[in-house]
Amino acid sequence: MTKVLVVDDDLDLLDLMQRFLSRYDMSVEVARSGVEMDQELSESTFDIVILDIMLPGEDGLALCRRIRTLFTTPIIMLTAVTETADRIVGLELGADDYVTKPFDSRELLARIRSVLRRASLPANDTANNTSTFRFLDWSVDVSRRELRRTDNTLVPISEGEFALLLTLLEHPGRLLSRDQLLNYSKGEAHDVYDRSIDVLISRLRRKIEVNARRPDIIKTVRNAGYIFTPTVRSS
């Protein structure tokens, strides 16, 4: 059974989501604030967090940032805000997807399934046959979905970042457009919001580059896409 944590201060919405998602083999816990969310996360492990951006006290963006520093759990943001800039902020902080209020419950269910599918499967068949990728001073454990430095330091990475990193590792030295990166890393799950690739690339650079502002590992080819430059070893 999929364990879902929904963080929202709308009691009617919480009740609706609990009743609806429970019909699809999902166990749903709710929290109405950051304090309640922290309590739930300290007591249980969840497969996905549904997080409203507009909350009393700490807002959803601050909570998203805190979750991402501690967990790789997928996060879907709920927001009444439709501005692209606000979506980008959430993605920069580690959210995996957005659903804009008001939403159809079936759309939320589809997005939950989509995010969970991306989280549970390697990017493609190459990753299925590979347990570890190594490049420069980094190693990536596919089955554990872990990114580590050669000194064995574990670097937190979101599911979206991990899926994109796997795609880059499987196509080293090859120019990949945004559309190709979306298709390879998300398959049928992606939407048309291709700016999310730029955000994920930016997040990955901050983690693996010596200088994220002057990247040597993930190179940008203007108006064309990105190239992963290091030699990649797999086993």
Side-chain angles (χ1 to χ4, degrees):
M1 179 174 287
T2 301
K3 294 188 66 176
V4 182
L5 175 61
V6 182
V7 186
D8 199 303
D9 63 334
D10 186 330
L11 297 181
D12 291 334
L13 181 62
L14 290 175
D15 179 63
L16 172 65
M17 292 175 68
Q18 272 190 308
R19 288 187 287 107
F20 177 77
L21 295 177
S22 65
R23 291 158 46 189
Y24 296 92
D25 199 31
M26 296 186 185
S27 172
V28 182
E29 299 295 333
V30 301
R32 295 168 294 177
S33 66
V35 173
E36 292 186 9
M37 181 196 78
D38 290 339
Q39 184 66 30
E40 291 289 344
L41 290 173
S42 69
E43 295 176 353
S44 301
T45 300
F46 293 92
D47 297 300
I48 191 166
V49 176
I50 313 299
L51 179 60
D52 186 26
I53 198 171
M54 300 295 291
L55 290 168
E58 281 188 286
D59 65 22
L61 294 176
L63 297 181
C64 178
R65 181 189 296 110
R66 189 157 78 248
I67 292 173
R68 190 51 71 228
T69 62
L70 299 172
F71 308 100
T72 61
T73 309
I75 300 170
I76 295 178
M77 303 292 291
L78 300 180
T79 177
V81 180
T82 57
E83 292 296 327
T84 299
D86 295 286
R87 291 181 175 231
I88 292 174
V89 171
L91 291 168
E92 285 276 10
L93 294 175
D96 294 277
D97 204 352
Y98 260 93
V99 176
T100 303
K101 293 181 177 180
F103 56 85
D104 188 303
S105 297
R106 292 169 297 180
E107 178 192 359
L108 177 62
L109 176 63
R111 289 184 177 268
I112 290 173
R113 287 173 168 172
S114 172
V115 169
L116 289 174
R117 186 164 56 248
R118 300 201 306 260
S120 63
L121 295 175
N124 58 36
D125 290 340
T126 303
N128 278 323
N129 297 319
T130 301
S131 60
T132 305
F133 288 101
R134 292 181 176 84
F135 65 98
L136 300 178
D137 296 326
W138 297 94
S139 67
V140 176
D141 187 314
V142 176
S143 61
R144 293 185 178 183
R145 308 186 78 77
E146 291 179 347
L147 171 66
R148 291 183 182 272
R149 297 189 181 94
T150 49
D151 63 4
N152 209 36
T153 300
L154 180 66
V155 177
I157 186 168
S158 73
E159 296 298 344
E161 293 164 1
F162 192 86
L164 181 58
L165 179 57
L166 278 185
T167 297
L168 293 169
L169 290 170
E170 290 160 358
H171 303 86
R174 176 179 168 185
L175 174 62
L176 297 174
S177 68
R178 290 181 180 85
D179 285 342
Q180 287 175 312
L181 288 170
L182 279 166
N183 287 327
Y184 283 135
S185 62
K186 298 185 178 182
E188 297 177 355
H190 81 267
D191 56 24
V192 297
Y193 186 51
D194 67 353
R195 184 64 187 274
S196 63
I197 289 295
D198 297 330
V199 174
L200 289 173
I201 290 288
S202 176
R203 280 161 45 183
L204 277 177
R205 282 173 169 164
R206 290 199 296 270
K207 294 181 178 181
I208 65 176
E209 298 275 6
V210 174
N211 185 344
R213 295 186 177 182
R214 295 182 177 180
D216 293 318
I217 297 175
I218 306 174
K219 291 282 193 179
T220 300
V221 178
R222 189 173 181 181
N223 299 323
Y226 298 97
I227 296 178
F228 192 80
T229 64
T231 299
V232 177
R233 303 181 303 279
S234 61
S235 58

